[in-house]
Amino acid sequence: MTKIQELGSSLEKLLSTLKKNREMISLEVLRSHYRQPYYALIQQINGTASAFVKAVLTDRLILNPDISIEEQAALINQVIADSGMEKQMSACISRTYNSDQLYQMALELRRKIECALWPYIDLKTCLVFDLDNPETEPVTYNTLTRQILRNGVWANQELYLWGKFLFYPKRVHPYKISFKEEKEKND
């Protein structure tokens, strides 16, 4: 069982408990007489939901090792803030008690993050020339995603790169400070 599955299962159980409590006991009584265990449950749900969403967002997320982690993290945080999905996710679990719906929302947010990170990942897209067969067409390949571009669509295919010439047309010099400065300079 993966970490995401474990957290999802734990969250589902906690949400089930919360839903039963709210159905069986009035909110007023939960907040007064059962105050401490009720708010402890809410806190546990929030912590588990947060860990669950973070696990979905970061599981095998590809970052460019040549660009500062701080810059990429700042972009990820900006995407999360701009999406407004934090409040939607919170409302989702408190109203629907549905971890599957939360999972779908987290996947949507992850897609937004991956799209925002693509310019960094795309810097590792290269043309692969086969030196043993110089007459063959070069292949467009991304060394981070290990995908090949065929007919405008990226497909998973790891290439054997020994004896190949890799040409990076979008290469950023490793001594540049940041991708943002390079982009501004080129614009």
mmCIF file with all atom_site columns, all heavy atoms in Angstrom, residues 65-78:
data_model
loop_
_atom_site.group_PDB
_atom_site.id
_atom_site.type_symbol
_atom_site.label_atom_id
_atom_site.label_alt_id
_atom_site.label_comp_id
_atom_site.label_asym_id
_atom_site.label_entity_id
_atom_site.label_seq_id
_atom_site.pdbx_PDB_ins_code
_atom_site.Cartn_x
_atom_site.Cartn_y
_atom_site.Cartn_z
_atom_site.occupancy
_atom_site.B_iso_or_equiv
_atom_site.pdbx_formal_charge
_atom_site.auth_seq_id
_atom_site.auth_comp_id
_atom_site.auth_asym_id
_atom_site.auth_atom_id
_atom_site.pdbx_PDB_model_num
ATOM 1   N N   . PRO A 1 65 ? 16.824 19.663 -11.788 1.00 0.00 ? 65 PRO A N   1
ATOM 2   C CA  . PRO A 1 65 ? 17.920 19.781 -10.824 1.00 0.00 ? 65 PRO A CA  1
ATOM 3   C C   . PRO A 1 65 ? 18.882 20.936 -11.126 1.00 0.00 ? 65 PRO A C   1
ATOM 4   O O   . PRO A 1 65 ? 19.670 21.310 -10.266 1.00 0.00 ? 65 PRO A O   1
ATOM 5   C CB  . PRO A 1 65 ? 18.641 18.430 -10.931 1.00 0.00 ? 65 PRO A CB  1
ATOM 6   C CG  . PRO A 1 65 ? 18.313 17.936 -12.297 1.00 0.00 ? 65 PRO A CG  1
ATOM 7   C CD  . PRO A 1 65 ? 16.935 18.456 -12.607 1.00 0.00 ? 65 PRO A CD  1
ATOM 8   N N   . ASP A 1 66 ? 18.798 21.508 -12.327 1.00 0.00 ? 66 ASP A N   1
ATOM 9   C CA  . ASP A 1 66 ? 19.674 22.614 -12.692 1.00 0.00 ? 66 ASP A CA  1
ATOM 10  C C   . ASP A 1 66 ? 19.115 23.987 -12.299 1.00 0.00 ? 66 ASP A C   1
ATOM 11  O O   . ASP A 1 66 ? 19.793 24.994 -12.435 1.00 0.00 ? 66 ASP A O   1
ATOM 12  C CB  . ASP A 1 66 ? 19.949 22.608 -14.203 1.00 0.00 ? 66 ASP A CB  1
ATOM 13  C CG  . ASP A 1 66 ? 20.722 21.379 -14.637 1.00 0.00 ? 66 ASP A CG  1
ATOM 14  O OD1 . ASP A 1 66 ? 21.402 20.774 -13.786 1.00 0.00 ? 66 ASP A OD1 1
ATOM 15  O OD2 . ASP A 1 66 ? 20.639 21.013 -15.826 1.00 0.00 ? 66 ASP A OD2 1
ATOM 16  N N   . ILE A 1 67 ? 17.877 24.004 -11.846 1.00 0.00 ? 67 ILE A N   1
ATOM 17  C CA  . ILE A 1 67 ? 17.220 25.243 -11.411 1.00 0.00 ? 67 ILE A CA  1
ATOM 18  C C   . ILE A 1 67 ? 17.050 25.156 -9.902  1.00 0.00 ? 67 ILE A C   1
ATOM 19  O O   . ILE A 1 67 ? 16.741 24.104 -9.364  1.00 0.00 ? 67 ILE A O   1
ATOM 20  C CB  . ILE A 1 67 ? 15.835 25.415 -12.093 1.00 0.00 ? 67 ILE A CB  1
ATOM 21  C CG1 . ILE A 1 67 ? 15.952 25.328 -13.620 1.00 0.00 ? 67 ILE A CG1 1
ATOM 22  C CG2 . ILE A 1 67 ? 15.177 26.715 -11.662 1.00 0.00 ? 67 ILE A CG2 1
ATOM 23  C CD1 . ILE A 1 67 ? 16.744 26.432 -14.267 1.00 0.00 ? 67 ILE A CD1 1
ATOM 24  N N   . SER A 1 68 ? 17.225 26.270 -9.227  1.00 0.00 ? 68 SER A N   1
ATOM 25  C CA  . SER A 1 68 ? 17.168 26.254 -7.762  1.00 0.00 ? 68 SER A CA  1
ATOM 26  C C   . SER A 1 68 ? 15.831 25.714 -7.261  1.00 0.00 ? 68 SER A C   1
ATOM 27  O O   . SER A 1 68 ? 14.768 26.033 -7.808  1.00 0.00 ? 68 SER A O   1
ATOM 28  C CB  . SER A 1 68 ? 17.421 27.644 -7.184  1.00 0.00 ? 68 SER A CB  1
ATOM 29  O OG  . SER A 1 68 ? 16.270 28.444 -7.302  1.00 0.00 ? 68 SER A OG  1
ATOM 30  N N   . ILE A 1 69 ? 15.911 24.904 -6.235  1.00 0.00 ? 69 ILE A N   1
ATOM 31  C CA  . ILE A 1 69 ? 14.709 24.324 -5.632  1.00 0.00 ? 69 ILE A CA  1
ATOM 32  C C   . ILE A 1 69 ? 13.823 25.426 -5.045  1.00 0.00 ? 69 ILE A C   1
ATOM 33  O O   . ILE A 1 69 ? 12.594 25.337 -5.076  1.00 0.00 ? 69 ILE A O   1
ATOM 34  C CB  . ILE A 1 69 ? 15.064 23.252 -4.574  1.00 0.00 ? 69 ILE A CB  1
ATOM 35  C CG1 . ILE A 1 69 ? 13.809 22.482 -4.132  1.00 0.00 ? 69 ILE A CG1 1
ATOM 36  C CG2 . ILE A 1 69 ? 15.739 23.858 -3.364  1.00 0.00 ? 69 ILE A CG2 1
ATOM 37  C CD1 . ILE A 1 69 ? 13.292 21.527 -5.144  1.00 0.00 ? 69 ILE A CD1 1
ATOM 38  N N   . GLU A 1 70 ? 14.449 26.490 -4.555  1.00 0.00 ? 70 GLU A N   1
ATOM 39  C CA  . GLU A 1 70 ? 13.688 27.603 -3.984  1.00 0.00 ? 70 GLU A CA  1
ATOM 40  C C   . GLU A 1 70 ? 12.811 28.258 -5.044  1.00 0.00 ? 70 GLU A C   1
ATOM 41  O O   . GLU A 1 70 ? 11.650 28.602 -4.786  1.00 0.00 ? 70 GLU A O   1
ATOM 42  C CB  . GLU A 1 70 ? 14.620 28.653 -3.364  1.00 0.00 ? 70 GLU A CB  1
ATOM 43  C CG  . GLU A 1 70 ? 15.361 28.185 -2.144  1.00 0.00 ? 70 GLU A CG  1
ATOM 44  C CD  . GLU A 1 70 ? 16.623 27.366 -2.446  1.00 0.00 ? 70 GLU A CD  1
ATOM 45  O OE1 . GLU A 1 70 ? 17.077 27.350 -3.625  1.00 0.00 ? 70 GLU A OE1 1
ATOM 46  O OE2 . GLU A 1 70 ? 17.130 26.723 -1.523  1.00 0.00 ? 70 GLU A OE2 1
ATOM 47  N N   . GLU A 1 71 ? 13.365 28.441 -6.247  1.00 0.00 ? 71 GLU A N   1
ATOM 48  C CA  . GLU A 1 71 ? 12.603 29.065 -7.328  1.00 0.00 ? 71 GLU A CA  1
ATOM 49  C C   . GLU A 1 71 ? 11.422 28.191 -7.735  1.00 0.00 ? 71 GLU A C   1
ATOM 50  O O   . GLU A 1 71 ? 10.303 28.678 -7.919  1.00 0.00 ? 71 GLU A O   1
ATOM 51  C CB  . GLU A 1 71 ? 13.516 29.306 -8.534  1.00 0.00 ? 71 GLU A CB  1
ATOM 52  C CG  . GLU A 1 71 ? 12.834 30.007 -9.684  1.00 0.00 ? 71 GLU A CG  1
ATOM 53  C CD  . GLU A 1 71 ? 13.773 30.344 -10.822 1.00 0.00 ? 71 GLU A CD  1
ATOM 54  O OE1 . GLU A 1 71 ? 14.996 30.425 -10.622 1.00 0.00 ? 71 GLU A OE1 1
ATOM 55  O OE2 . GLU A 1 71 ? 13.257 30.538 -11.942 1.00 0.00 ? 71 GLU A OE2 1
ATOM 56  N N   . GLN A 1 72 ? 11.657 26.891 -7.855  1.00 0.00 ? 72 GLN A N   1
ATOM 57  C CA  . GLN A 1 72 ? 10.585 25.977 -8.245  1.00 0.00 ? 72 GLN A CA  1
ATOM 58  C C   . GLN A 1 72 ? 9.544  25.847 -7.136  1.00 0.00 ? 72 GLN A C   1
ATOM 59  O O   . GLN A 1 72 ? 8.343  25.790 -7.411  1.00 0.00 ? 72 GLN A O   1
ATOM 60  C CB  . GLN A 1 72 ? 11.178 24.619 -8.624  1.00 0.00 ? 72 GLN A CB  1
ATOM 61  C CG  . GLN A 1 72 ? 12.028 24.713 -9.908  1.00 0.00 ? 72 GLN A CG  1
ATOM 62  C CD  . GLN A 1 72 ? 12.711 23.416 -10.248 1.00 0.00 ? 72 GLN A CD  1
ATOM 63  O OE1 . GLN A 1 72 ? 12.092 22.555 -10.868 1.00 0.00 ? 72 GLN A OE1 1
ATOM 64  N NE2 . GLN A 1 72 ? 13.966 23.261 -9.842  1.00 0.00 ? 72 GLN A NE2 1
ATOM 65  N N   . ALA A 1 73 ? 9.975  25.827 -5.883  1.00 0.00 ? 73 ALA A N   1
ATOM 66  C CA  . ALA A 1 73 ? 9.046  25.767 -4.750  1.00 0.00 ? 73 ALA A CA  1
ATOM 67  C C   . ALA A 1 73 ? 8.190  27.034 -4.690  1.00 0.00 ? 73 ALA A C   1
ATOM 68  O O   . ALA A 1 73 ? 6.988  26.962 -4.404  1.00 0.00 ? 73 ALA A O   1
ATOM 69  C CB  . ALA A 1 73 ? 9.804  25.564 -3.446  1.00 0.00 ? 73 ALA A CB  1
ATOM 70  N N   . ALA A 1 74 ? 8.801  28.171 -4.957  1.00 0.00 ? 74 ALA A N   1
ATOM 71  C CA  . ALA A 1 74 ? 8.047  29.435 -4.964  1.00 0.00 ? 74 ALA A CA  1
ATOM 72  C C   . ALA A 1 74 ? 6.965  29.403 -6.044  1.00 0.00 ? 74 ALA A C   1
ATOM 73  O O   . ALA A 1 74 ? 5.834  29.856 -5.820  1.00 0.00 ? 74 ALA A O   1
ATOM 74  C CB  . ALA A 1 74 ? 8.989  30.616 -5.184  1.00 0.00 ? 74 ALA A CB  1
ATOM 75  N N   . LEU A 1 75 ? 7.297  28.846 -7.194  1.00 0.00 ? 75 LEU A N   1
ATOM 76  C CA  . LEU A 1 75 ? 6.313  28.724 -8.276  1.00 0.00 ? 75 LEU A CA  1
ATOM 77  C C   . LEU A 1 75 ? 5.171  27.796 -7.857  1.00 0.00 ? 75 LEU A C   1
ATOM 78  O O   . LEU A 1 75 ? 3.996  28.107 -8.071  1.00 0.00 ? 75 LEU A O   1
ATOM 79  C CB  . LEU A 1 75 ? 6.982  28.205 -9.547  1.00 0.00 ? 75 LEU A CB  1
ATOM 80  C CG  . LEU A 1 75 ? 6.059  27.981 -10.742 1.00 0.00 ? 75 LEU A CG  1
ATOM 81  C CD1 . LEU A 1 75 ? 5.467  29.302 -11.220 1.00 0.00 ? 75 LEU A CD1 1
ATOM 82  C CD2 . LEU A 1 75 ? 6.809  27.290 -11.861 1.00 0.00 ? 75 LEU A CD2 1
ATOM 83  N N   . ILE A 1 76 ? 5.511  26.675 -7.248  1.00 0.00 ? 76 ILE A N   1
ATOM 84  C CA  . ILE A 1 76 ? 4.491  25.729 -6.780  1.00 0.00 ? 76 ILE A CA  1
ATOM 85  C C   . ILE A 1 76 ? 3.574  26.407 -5.768  1.00 0.00 ? 76 ILE A C   1
ATOM 86  O O   . ILE A 1 76 ? 2.340  26.309 -5.864  1.00 0.00 ? 76 ILE A O   1
ATOM 87  C CB  . ILE A 1 76 ? 5.150  24.473 -6.167  1.00 0.00 ? 76 ILE A CB  1
ATOM 88  C CG1 . ILE A 1 76 ? 5.846  23.663 -7.265  1.00 0.00 ? 76 ILE A CG1 1
ATOM 89  C CG2 . ILE A 1 76 ? 4.126  23.631 -5.414  1.00 0.00 ? 76 ILE A CG2 1
ATOM 90  C CD1 . ILE A 1 76 ? 6.766  22.577 -6.743  1.00 0.00 ? 76 ILE A CD1 1
ATOM 91  N N   . ASN A 1 77 ? 4.151  27.117 -4.810  1.00 0.00 ? 77 ASN A N   1
ATOM 92  C CA  . ASN A 1 77 ? 3.344  27.814 -3.798  1.00 0.00 ? 77 ASN A CA  1
ATOM 93  C C   . ASN A 1 77 ? 2.457  28.878 -4.425  1.00 0.00 ? 77 ASN A C   1
ATOM 94  O O   . ASN A 1 77 ? 1.319  29.080 -3.992  1.00 0.00 ? 77 ASN A O   1
ATOM 95  C CB  . ASN A 1 77 ? 4.248  28.414 -2.724  1.00 0.00 ? 77 ASN A CB  1
ATOM 96  C CG  . ASN A 1 77 ? 4.863  27.348 -1.848  1.00 0.00 ? 77 ASN A CG  1
ATOM 97  O OD1 . ASN A 1 77 ? 4.303  26.278 -1.657  1.00 0.00 ? 77 ASN A OD1 1
ATOM 98  N ND2 . ASN A 1 77 ? 6.040  27.626 -1.312  1.00 0.00 ? 77 ASN A ND2 1
ATOM 99  N N   . GLN A 1 78 ? 2.963  29.551 -5.455  1.00 0.00 ? 78 GLN A N   1
ATOM 100 C CA  . GLN A 1 78 ? 2.178  30.581 -6.135  1.00 0.00 ? 78 GLN A CA  1
ATOM 101 C C   . GLN A 1 78 ? 0.990  29.952 -6.872  1.00 0.00 ? 78 GLN A C   1
ATOM 102 O O   . GLN A 1 78 ? -0.120 30.469 -6.833  1.00 0.00 ? 78 GLN A O   1
ATOM 103 C CB  . GLN A 1 78 ? 3.053  31.372 -7.115  1.00 0.00 ? 78 GLN A CB  1
ATOM 104 C CG  . GLN A 1 78 ? 2.365  32.580 -7.704  1.00 0.00 ? 78 GLN A CG  1
ATOM 105 C CD  . GLN A 1 78 ? 1.992  33.606 -6.654  1.00 0.00 ? 78 GLN A CD  1
ATOM 106 O OE1 . GLN A 1 78 ? 2.805  33.989 -5.826  1.00 0.00 ? 78 GLN A OE1 1
ATOM 107 N NE2 . GLN A 1 78 ? 0.742  34.041 -6.668  1.00 0.00 ? 78 GLN A NE2 1
#
